């Protein structure tokens, strides 16, 4: 039984006259009356255990967007239900009205809507609903928590999607300008033509020769559809916050833009989320929409508080794509983690693939480096300068090992990574 505010108010009103006027009704009599009224009120309240709850919830919502959780409250009792219904959402779900009052006549049902605006990417779960049934006098209530499980997948916002049209235009212009029809050495079939002296006899198409009664050879062109392997680091360094979001979320944005751009450009895309083990994998060769598969796989990703095992990455890349590929590593350029893990593993990748290392840089380092107004600010500027010099040294070592480096602030990392992909493709390095 739950005592309501009305009960407390009546109790105070009953005690006050006895204190001020001792000859008034005794406190014992008043308390007994109040107890009788409370028991009667609880007995007249509809039983919350006989209240049915049915939840309707969308499968997913993008971060920053709004959705609704609908509850159908069904009164299976013979009494009128006066209840307060509360949803048990975690704070990151952004439930704007999780507690609502509802009145349901006997044998009927009412629908209530809870507005959700999630503030964090991931999987949100709700397990139960609390129902507090109040009596007609409002003195006390009966409360019970009933199971009503629900799962909401909060997808990455993909804010960098606004860059996609301009990058696709550049990619189409590149396809139109590049000499993709050049005949000669290659692996992709182009056309058939008559044999001329000097042609390699191994290129003769004997079936076509038999049909046309003339010697016909096959011509080839360089392969256009390449493979892009995107590796997202989910180790402890991805948990660091840069501006208002974790480094992992910025990496997700960059991976989404690059993957969709490459897939629409005709390349085969493989996405891997990895630290010490594989957390997620998506291949564009699988059935279904690539973007939908990517955001679904990325939604539950969280930074793991462990060191990344970069020695296993070459094997993971080889399992995803045994051919020469563009391998993009979305990770951190922090001095300690990169020197001990990333740098020793790079030669195993650069020998077979074109490698790009992409990292998000904190713009506050540039601000701190420029501020030397006080002694404390000067010390902070020296620390920021040291951090930037360490990043530059790591980037220089990565370039010496044969890899490209993209080091940019959060808002610029996705488009700059896409520009690097277009530039490499224009140079014929893929």
């Amino acid at each position: 039984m739950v005592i309501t505010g009305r009960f407390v108010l009546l109790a105070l009103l009953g005690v006050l006259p006895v204190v001020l006027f001792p000859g008034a009704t005794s406190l014992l009599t008043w308390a007994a009356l109040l107890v009788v009224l409370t028991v009667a009120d609880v007995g007249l309240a509809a039983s919350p255990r006989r209240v049915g709850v049915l939840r309707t919830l969308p499968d997913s919502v993008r971060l920053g967007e709004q959705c609704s959780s609908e509850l159908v409250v069904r009164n299976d009792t013979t009494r009128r239900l006066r209840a307060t219904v509360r949803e048990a959402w975690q704070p990151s779900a952004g439930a704007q009205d999780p507690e609502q009052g509802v009145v349901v006549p006997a044998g009927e049902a009412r629908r209530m809507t809870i507005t959700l605006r999630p503030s964090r990417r991931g999987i949100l779960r709700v397990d139960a609903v609390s129902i507090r049934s109040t009596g007609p006098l409002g003195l006390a209530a009966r409360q019970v928590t009933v199971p009503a499980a629900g799962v909401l997948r909060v997808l990455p916002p993909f804010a960098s999607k606004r860059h996609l049209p301009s990058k696709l235009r550049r990619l189409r212009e590149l396809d139109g300008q590049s000499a993709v029809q050049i005949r000669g050495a290659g692996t992709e079939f182009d056309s058939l033509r008559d044999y001329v002296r000097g042609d390699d006899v191994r290129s003769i198409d004997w079936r076509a020769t038999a049909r046309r009664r003339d010697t016909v050879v096959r011509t080839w062109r360089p392969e256009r559809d390449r493979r892009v392997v995107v590796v997202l680091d989910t180790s402890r360094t991805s948990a660091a916050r840069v501006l208002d979001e974790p480094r992992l979320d910025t990496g997700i944005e960059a991976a989404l833009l690059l993957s969709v751009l490459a897939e629409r450009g005709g390349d085969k895309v493989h996405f891997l989320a990895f630290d010490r083990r594989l957390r997620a994998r998506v291949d564009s060769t699988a059935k279904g929409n690539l973007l939908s598969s990517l955001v679904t796989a990325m939604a539950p990703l969280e930074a793991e508080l462990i060191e990344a095992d970069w020695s296993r990455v070459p094997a993971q890349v080889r399992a995803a794509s045994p051919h020469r590929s563009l391998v993009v590593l979305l990770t951190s350029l922090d001095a300690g983690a990169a020197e001990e893990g990333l740098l020793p593993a790079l030669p195993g990748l650069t020998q077979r693939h074109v490698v790009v290392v992409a990292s998000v840089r904190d713009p506050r380092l540039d601000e701190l480096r420029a501020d030397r107004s006080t002694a404390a600010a000067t010390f902070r500027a020296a620390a920021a300068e040291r951090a930037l010099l360490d990043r530059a040294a790591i980037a220089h070592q990565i370039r010496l090992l044969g890899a490209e480096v993209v080091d940019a602030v959060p808002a610029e990392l996705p488009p700059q990574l896409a520009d690097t992909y277009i530039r490499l493709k224009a140079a014929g390095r893929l």
Side-chain angles (χ1 to χ4, degrees), residues 175-213:
D175 287 341
Q177 294 171 1
S178 60
V180 295
Q181 301 294 334
I182 297 175
R183 294 178 173 84
T187 58
E188 186 174 337
F189 174 74
D190 180 41
S191 61
L192 296 173
R193 64 171 175 80
D194 292 336
Y195 174 85
V196 296
R197 182 175 296 181
D199 284 338
D200 190 344
V201 295
R202 292 174 297 181
S203 63
I204 296 176
D205 189 319
W206 296 107
R207 292 187 178 180
T209 298
R211 288 195 302 267
R212 296 173 56 174
R213 297 182 180 179

Side-chain angles (χ1 to χ4, degrees), residues 54-56 69-74 100-104 108-114:
L54 179 63
R55 181 190 302 279
T56 303
S69 172
E70 294 187 348
L71 290 177
V72 176
V73 180
R74 186 182 66 255
Q100 299 182 21
V102 62
V103 178
V104 186
E108 297 186 14
R110 293 292 184 270
R111 184 185 302 272
M112 54 182 292
T113 302
I114 295 87

Side-chain angles (χ1 to χ4, degrees), residues 118-351:
S119 60
R120 183 178 178 182
R121 174 189 52 79
I123 305 298
L124 300 180
R125 303 180 187 277
V126 60
D127 298 320
V129 172
S130 296
I131 302 175
R132 179 179 294 181
S133 176
T134 307
L137 300 179
L139 298 178
R142 305 163 67 180
Q143 180 170 314
V144 69
T145 300
V146 299
V151 177
L152 178 63
R153 187 183 297 267
V154 184
L155 305 177
F158 195 16
S160 58
K161 187 177 182 179
R162 65 182 184 275
H163 299 290
L164 189 58
S166 62
K167 306 304 179 188
L168 282 173
R169 281 197 299 270
R170 289 184 55 190
L171 202 58
R172 295 191 185 101
E173 293 172 0
L174 172 65
D175 287 341
Q177 294 171 1
S178 60
V180 295
Q181 301 294 334
I182 297 175
R183 294 178 173 84
T187 58
E188 186 174 337
F189 174 74
D190 180 41
S191 61
L192 296 173
R193 64 171 175 80
D194 292 336
Y195 174 85
V196 296
R197 182 175 296 181
D199 284 338
D200 190 344
V201 295
R202 292 174 297 181
S203 63
I204 296 176
D205 189 319
W206 296 107
R207 292 187 178 180
T209 298
R211 288 195 302 267
R212 296 173 56 174
R213 297 182 180 179
D214 197 3
T215 306
V216 176
V217 296
R218 293 182 179 182
T219 60
W220 308 87
R221 61 186 175 189
E223 185 180 359
R224 289 180 296 173
D225 297 341
R226 299 299 185 180
R227 294 177 181 268
V228 178
V229 182
V230 182
V231 181
L232 178 64
D233 180 9
T234 57
S235 66
R236 65 170 184 84
T237 57
S238 64
R241 297 188 71 87
V242 179
L243 295 183
D244 60 345
E245 67 179 10
R247 184 177 287 160
L248 177 62
D249 287 23
T250 306
I252 287 175
E253 283 289 318
L256 282 173
L257 180 61
L258 175 62
S259 299
V260 174
L261 177 65
E263 191 259 347
R264 295 189 182 180
D267 294 337
K268 298 177 177 62
V269 179
H270 307 274
F271 169 78
L272 309 174
F274 188 82
D275 40 66
R276 285 186 175 273
R277 64 181 179 86
L278 190 63
R279 304 289 175 176
R281 176 174 173 175
V282 177
D283 300 313
S284 63
T285 54
K287 294 182 179 180
N289 180 268
L290 176 64
L291 178 58
S292 176
S293 301
L294 283 172
V295 296
T296 301
M298 292 174 174
L301 290 178
E302 296 291 343
E304 303 292 334
L305 300 182
I306 55 177
E307 293 288 346
D309 188 355
W310 287 101
S311 63
R312 300 183 183 180
V313 171
Q316 294 290 335
V317 172
R318 189 162 51 251
S321 174
H323 308 286
R324 177 178 171 85
S325 308
L326 170 64
V327 178
V328 179
L329 307 177
L330 288 158
T331 184
S332 167
L333 292 182
D334 293 344
E339 289 174 345
E340 297 177 5
L342 176 61
L343 293 180
L346 273 180
L349 291 171
T350 55
Q351 289 176 1

